[in-house]
Amino acid sequence: MFRGSGQIHSDFRIRSRDGHLDLTDGLQIHLLELPKYAVPSDSRVITDPVEAWQYFFRRANEMTTQEIEQRFNSPAFTEAAEVLDMIQRTPQQRSQYELRLKAQRDDRARLQQARLEGKAEGKAEGIIKALRGVLGIEPTSLDELSLEQLETIASDLQRQIRERGV
């Protein structure tokens, strides 16, 4: 693309013409000119992340998923290898792969929701315990209140304590 440049990797960003202002730091375009990349021997260890991606893009079609995992030992490359593997599958195999990914995402969402609910329940129990101790209220009367109602009672009590100067 840039024949006059010997650079293999170009990093583009959106800046003002004078170069003093970045429009955003959230957008970068990395261009790898793979024909300029000389693939090293398989025995050489690649430590530079950009070179690792160059090697991956040039050699991934010749490697198995297991070889890619061993060569790069990185979750990003493992995921990229899985995507390449998925692209080569039949439509039915791709559908099964997508269903498995959806199930994994659903499981993570359920677990996250359960954690949030557990935190809210624990917070409500803490408020109830504190209110019982302060007010001497029967446990059953507070158990029926929502978290929002308990927080309102707690806020009112805090306001009353501040007003009394305690």
Side-chain angles (χ1 to χ4, degrees), residues 47-91:
T47 57
D48 178 52
V50 174
E51 185 179 1
W53 281 108
Q54 292 167 349
Y55 184 93
F56 175 82
F57 288 130
R58 287 294 301 267
R59 297 288 310 276
N61 64 331
E62 303 166 10
M63 301 171 76
T64 66
T65 302
Q66 186 178 18
E67 289 171 333
I68 290 170
E69 289 174 356
Q70 290 173 350
R71 173 81 181 179
F72 299 104
N73 194 24
S74 163
F77 287 101
T78 300
E79 184 177 345
E82 290 171 359
V83 169
L84 286 176
D85 185 47
M86 187 266 309
I87 289 170
Q88 297 172 356
R89 294 179 182 185
T90 66

Side-chain angles (χ1 to χ4, degrees), residues 126-143:
I127 292 172
I128 288 171
K129 187 175 181 179
L131 289 174
R132 283 180 189 152
V134 171
L135 301 175
I137 297 176
E138 286 298 313
T140 55
S141 63
L142 288 175
D143 289 340

